[in-house]
């Protein structure tokens, strides 16, 4: 067959195309390598962002906890504890004990009215067990460890908690169902402990993804 095209020219074009092809493949591999490097860097940055966010949350919580509660709140709470201790003394007259009990009730009501409810312990809701015909179901419960205000959610677990003790700025809400139960059902109020006891628990649990450290719980 008589060549239709110049063989020498074709050979030159083939070599040229091969060089172009190899060059393009090299560029492609270089881009892929850079993309891998970028993905690795992006992953490291994401990890650093997550760690920094967690550290920042913890530091913010520590700062908030160590600021404590307003002085007026702290003094009224201390007054209530003193009144409780006084009313429990064996050498106190019945009339004095009754008067102290009335003051305790009045002061607790006042404290709950003016308290900003900065430190909340919550028990998560539970849909119940089929083996108990769901009779053991319960709603989310919350208690302010400063003033003793207790709330139980009236809404479905699918809805955000609503009420006086709802999540908001300048408020820490920590989960620990056992501790919630110990305060509400076994000990009836939060005044069996000084405020610093609770603040220490919150401080030990700063960050912590919203969980109150159970290792420190000795609500007696």
């Amino acid at each position: 067959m008589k060549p239709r095209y110049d063989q020498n020219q074709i050979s030159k074009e083939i070599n040229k195309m091969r060089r172009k092809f190899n060059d393009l493949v090299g560029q492609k591999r270089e881009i892929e390598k850079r993309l891998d490097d970028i993905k690795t860097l992006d992953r490291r940055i994401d990890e650093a962002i997550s760690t920094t966010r967690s550290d920042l949350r913890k530091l913010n919580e520590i700062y908030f906890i160590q600021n404590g509660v307003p002085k007026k709140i702290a003094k009224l709470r201390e007054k209530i504890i003193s009144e409780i201790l006084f009313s429990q003394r064996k050498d106190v007259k019945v009339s004095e004990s009754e008067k102290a009990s009335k003051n305790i009730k009045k002061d607790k009501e006042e404290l709950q009215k003016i308290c900003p409810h900065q430190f909340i312990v919550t028990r998560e809701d539970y849909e119940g067990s089929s083996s108990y015909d769901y009779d053991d179901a319960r709603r989310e419960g919350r208690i302010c460890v400063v003033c003793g205000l207790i709330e139980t959610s009236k809404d479905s677990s699918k809805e955000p908690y609503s009420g006086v003790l709802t999540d908001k700025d300048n408020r820490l809400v920590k989960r620990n169902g056992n501790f919630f139960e110990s305060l509400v059902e076994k000990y009836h109020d939060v005044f069996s402990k000084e405020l610093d006891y609770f603040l220490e628990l919150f401080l030990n649990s700063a960050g912590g993804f919203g969980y109150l450290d159970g290792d420190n719980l000795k609500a007696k």
Side-chain angles (χ1 to χ4, degrees), residues 145-163:
V145 299
V146 178
C147 72
L149 180 64
I150 301 170
E151 280 187 339
T152 302
S153 173
K154 298 178 182 179
D155 300 321
S156 165
S157 61
K158 296 180 180 179
E159 301 296 329
Y161 184 89
S162 61

Side-chain angles (χ1 to χ4, degrees), residues 67-110:
N67 270 341
V69 301
K71 289 182 179 179
K72 183 178 181 180
I73 301 294
K75 286 183 178 180
L76 183 53
R77 194 181 193 281
E78 289 173 3
K79 180 172 180 279
I80 292 170
I81 291 177
S82 296
E83 290 169 338
I84 291 172
L85 293 175
F86 176 79
S87 69
Q88 293 172 344
R89 282 170 45 183
K90 293 182 180 180
D91 61 335
V92 172
K93 295 179 181 179
V94 174
S95 58
E96 292 177 325
S97 179
E98 290 176 348
K99 181 179 179 181
S101 295
K102 290 180 181 179
N103 288 336
I104 291 168
K105 184 176 183 296
K106 177 176 66 69
D107 288 340
K108 281 183 178 180
E109 291 173 352
E110 176 64 18

Side-chain angles (χ1 to χ4, degrees), residues 82-212:
S82 296
E83 290 169 338
I84 291 172
L85 293 175
F86 176 79
S87 69
Q88 293 172 344
R89 282 170 45 183
K90 293 182 180 180
D91 61 335
V92 172
K93 295 179 181 179
V94 174
S95 58
E96 292 177 325
S97 179
E98 290 176 348
K99 181 179 179 181
S101 295
K102 290 180 181 179
N103 288 336
I104 291 168
K105 184 176 183 296
K106 177 176 66 69
D107 288 340
K108 281 183 178 180
E109 291 173 352
E110 176 64 18
L111 180 59
Q112 289 187 358
K113 286 179 182 178
I114 64 176
C115 181
H117 313 303
Q118 295 165 272
F119 302 99
I120 308 297
V121 176
T122 179
R123 173 198 65 195
E124 295 179 312
D125 67 335
Y126 175 57
E127 64 181 8
S129 170
S130 58
S131 60
Y132 289 94
D133 295 327
Y134 303 99
D135 288 338
D136 56 341
R138 61 173 181 256
R139 293 292 189 185
E140 179 179 354
R142 296 189 173 200
I143 182 170
C144 172
V145 299
V146 178
C147 72
L149 180 64
I150 301 170
E151 280 187 339
T152 302
S153 173
K154 298 178 182 179
D155 300 321
S156 165
S157 61
K158 296 180 180 179
E159 301 296 329
Y161 184 89
S162 61
V164 175
L165 303 181
T166 188
D167 295 0
K168 70 174 192 176
D169 292 338
N170 297 319
R171 174 173 293 169
L172 277 181
V173 178
K174 296 285 186 179
R175 303 185 312 276
N176 191 309
N178 290 334
F179 192 47
F180 176 90
E181 300 293 348
S182 72
L183 288 173
V184 175
E185 297 184 0
K186 297 179 183 177
Y187 305 102
H188 308 297
D189 62 39
V190 298
F191 300 100
S192 58
K193 292 288 185 181
E194 296 287 344
L195 182 57
D196 282 350
Y197 168 80
F198 294 107
L199 295 183
E200 189 70 21
L201 289 181
F202 274 80
L203 192 62
N204 291 338
S205 305
F209 300 100
Y211 186 77
L212 191 69

Side-chain angles (χ1 to χ4, degrees), residues 48-60:
I49 288 173
S50 178
T51 300
T52 304
R53 182 187 292 117
S54 178
D55 291 343
L56 181 59
R57 181 177 61 247
K58 181 175 182 177
L59 289 174
N60 279 332

